[in-house]
Amino acid sequence: MTKFTTRDGLELNYRVWEGEGVPVVLQHGVVADTNANWMSTGVVGALQAAGRTVVSLDARGHGRSAKPHDPARYSWELMAEDVRALYDELGFDRVVQVGYSMGAIISLLVAAADERVERLVIGGVGSGVLDCGGVDRRVVELTDLQKAMSEDNEGAPSTAMMFRILADAVHADRQAIQAVATGLDARPISGLAEVTVPTLVLAGDNDPFAAEPERLADALPDGTLTVVPGDHLMAVIAPDFHSALVDFVK
């Protein structure tokens, strides 16, 4: 595990597994971290077994990275910039970018702006990217996620409370996650025309956050879709998720 310092002075944690080929860079979802989203689910192991170099970043506010409680330290643009700064830190000139849920939105922004991304995989998202400009607010509002992370979470809907349960399970800093949910309360994606690289949409068949994934895949200039078993938390564990990911990044 290694750290680097962002332009605005935060220390972010990342981990590298050495292998061959174009590095595969992983960005996790909200509340989760490298271990919860990628290691414990078997994703890192599957990529290692294929011989790939793998890099995973703990986003600001998550995992072993800095966790300021000021919402101003969080925005979609800052988090996308963090990923690009990691490319700089490691001297990458070509990458395969992979993101899940929150990390999928970040990865779309990175791929739209950075020519070093040559392939893209986004999971845990669907038509909400098109209809809501990012997070699918038809499933959960970020204000509900803020409420779920508070000491008094009375009234938080069950979908948001799923993330509270995950936060407690991974020992997340709930005040930092509240700040993340406040800072990210924006619609960062207005179109996908600039995401021209080959892109795989990976969606769980019972994932409300990945509703109508075929619409998202069709809206991408070079998008394809694979649907795997599972809901938002379990799809990433599915062997079909691992095999589709490994096959696409080869």
Side-chain angles (χ1 to χ4, degrees), residues 77-115:
E77 292 76 15
L78 280 171
M79 294 177 109
E81 184 178 298
D82 291 342
V83 175
R84 300 178 68 189
L86 179 61
Y87 299 170
D88 295 339
E89 175 75 13
L90 296 175
F92 291 159
D93 57 7
R94 300 166 62 207
V95 298
V96 176
Q97 180 62 42
V98 179
Y100 196 81
S101 192
M102 175 189 78
I105 306 302
I106 294 168
S107 296
L108 281 164
L109 295 172
V110 173
D114 200 309
E115 293 181 351

Side-chain angles (χ1 to χ4, degrees), residues 189-211:
I189 295 175
S190 58
L192 297 172
E194 294 178 344
V195 184
T196 58
V197 297
T199 301
L200 173 64
V201 178
L202 272 173
D205 62 1
N206 196 32
D207 182 357
F209 290 94

Side-chain angles (χ1 to χ4, degrees), residues 29-32 59-63 66-76 79 102 137 141-154 156 160-161 163-164 166-168 170-186:
V30 71
V31 178
R60 55 177 65 203
H62 297 75
K67 302 176 184 67
H69 293 171
D70 179 2
R73 306 303 296 274
Y74 301 97
S75 70
W76 293 109
M79 294 177 109
M102 175 189 78
R137 295 163 185 267
E141 285 284 353
L142 290 177
T143 51
D144 292 331
L145 184 57
Q146 296 164 27
K147 184 183 296 184
M149 294 299 153
S150 67
E151 287 299 324
D152 178 14
N153 53 52
E154 185 176 351
M161 286 303 295
F163 291 98
R164 168 62 178 263
L166 176 61
D168 291 341
V170 302
H171 306 292
D173 182 330
R174 286 192 278 106
Q175 284 184 274
I177 300 300
Q178 267 192 306
V180 170
T182 304
L184 298 187
D185 195 5

Side-chain angles (χ1 to χ4, degrees), residues 222-234:
D222 192 1
T224 57
L225 170 65
T226 296
V227 176
V228 304
D231 59 17
H232 197 64
L233 295 182
M234 299 304 292

